Amino acid sequence: HYREKSMIVRHILDSKGRDVATIAPTASVQDAIQALGSRRVGALVVSDAGKAILGIISERDVVKLIAGSGVGALDQPVSAHMTARVVTCALDDTIQSVMERMTAGRFRHMPVSVDDKLAGIVSIGDVVKGRLDEMAQESQALRQYITN
């Protein structure tokens, strides 16, 4: 009998790595823009040296800030414009549950937390790729089950 095994966040991190682009809360928004560009990422986790998750700032946050306040806001600290209530996930969360929370919250990046410390990050692209891989495995397993 075929039984599907759900892909979990740990599988994504095992594949892509656990490196996370972070920035200090005291850094300027301009520093955040430079880090987003140089790291080629869509969001930075705002973190202290102990790797506590203090917030998150995304490209969308920066665009909204500039649209609303102008370029003068670029000198302000990241902490003034980050999302402080960060939705995180755990290593054993399923891809499906992460996808549902991202969709409901309308965000594209979710830090992974272990013991209240930053342990990785998953993006909507990672989650979609994981779900597509999961569906391909399910399809192959069902084909094998039918032909046996």
Side-chain angles (χ1 to χ4, degrees), residues 5-6 19 29 39 41 50-52 54-55 71 73 79 83 92 97 108 111 119-120 125 131 135-136 139:
K5 183 180 177 191
S6 294
D19 183 45
V29 173
R39 295 288 303 264
V41 295
K51 295 294 184 187
L54 305 175
V71 294
S79 60
T83 299
D92 293 330
S97 72
R108 298 171 178 232
R131 185 63 184 123
M135 289 170 35
S139 177

Side-chain angles (χ1 to χ4, degrees), residues 66-123:
I66 294 171
S69 300
V71 294
L74 297 180
D75 294 329
Q76 296 176 6
V78 167
S79 60
H81 302 288
M82 68 184 187
T83 299
R85 288 188 178 171
V86 181
V87 177
T88 64
C89 60
L91 291 171
D92 293 330
D93 285 351
T94 65
I95 300 303
Q96 184 67 34
S97 72
V98 170
M99 186 181 294
E100 288 169 2
R101 285 185 277 166
M102 285 180 161
T103 301
R106 298 183 52 115
F107 51 84
R108 298 171 178 232
H109 300 87
M110 186 180 288
V112 182
S113 178
V114 174
D115 298 326
D116 294 323
K117 300 286 184 203
L118 182 61
I121 193 166
V122 290
S123 70

